Amino acid sequence: MTVKPFFAPQLFIPGGVTDISFYSKAFDAVVLRSWLNDDGSIHVAELSFDGVLFHLHEERSFKAQLTPVEAKGVTALIGLFVNDVDVVINKALQAGAILLSPAQDYDYGYRQGSIQDPFGHHWLIETNI
């Protein structure tokens, strides 16, 4: 089988997390599969936005990688291209995100706004205009 290369980000979440419903509520992500720890918390979860994969992984499994809270700063900026930036940002805010910058049009041809998810990850919600 030939696989075309693609990115599948892995976002680190704190150990002990059992609720990852933010991603379903905010982005309509679907949990494809997950591996749980003995206490029922998430070890790894594989999610999809309309066929695009990403993973959540508890941070205690890797010593060099930290959650944004542990790092006391942004560890990555995830760009998510969507059809309607305003709708997605509003949905994310209703699901518990924090607005970092409201959506606006830029002269380089993008409409963008940014949010922070409940685990501290920063998302740049964007579209070509």
Side-chain angles (χ1 to χ4, degrees):
M1 172 195 291
T2 301
V3 175
K4 184 176 179 178
F6 64 92
F7 287 97
Q10 297 220 11
L11 306 179
F12 292 98
I13 59 175
V17 169
T18 57
D19 182 8
I20 57 172
S21 64
F22 168 81
Y23 299 102
S24 299
K25 293 174 185 173
F27 305 129
D28 296 324
V30 175
V31 177
L32 300 176
R33 54 190 173 157
S34 62
W35 294 264
L36 302 178
N37 296 311
D38 292 340
D39 65 359
S41 64
I42 302 292
H43 177 68
V44 175
E46 182 176 76
L47 296 93
S48 171
F49 297 129
D50 196 24
V52 178
L53 295 179
F54 77 102
H55 298 87
L56 300 177
H57 205 297
E58 71 176 325
E59 95 289 355
R60 66 180 167 192
S61 299
F62 295 95
K63 293 182 181 172
Q65 289 88 2
L66 303 171
T67 67
V69 173
E70 288 179 319
K72 294 182 174 70
V74 177
T75 55
L77 176 64
I78 301 103
L80 178 62
F81 281 83
V82 298
N83 288 320
D84 191 324
V85 170
D86 299 279
V87 166
V88 172
I89 287 177
N90 287 332
K91 194 171 181 180
L93 294 175
Q94 291 173 7
I98 297 169
L99 183 64
L100 299 175
S101 64
Q104 62 181 15
D105 295 343
Y106 290 93
D107 59 0
Y108 48 82
Y110 286 174
R111 180 166 183 76
Q112 298 171 314
S114 60
I115 60 163
Q116 178 179 306
D117 74 22
F119 302 106
H121 299 287
H122 288 201
W123 294 78
L124 182 63
I125 312 301
E126 52 194 328
T127 194
N128 290 310
I129 52 174

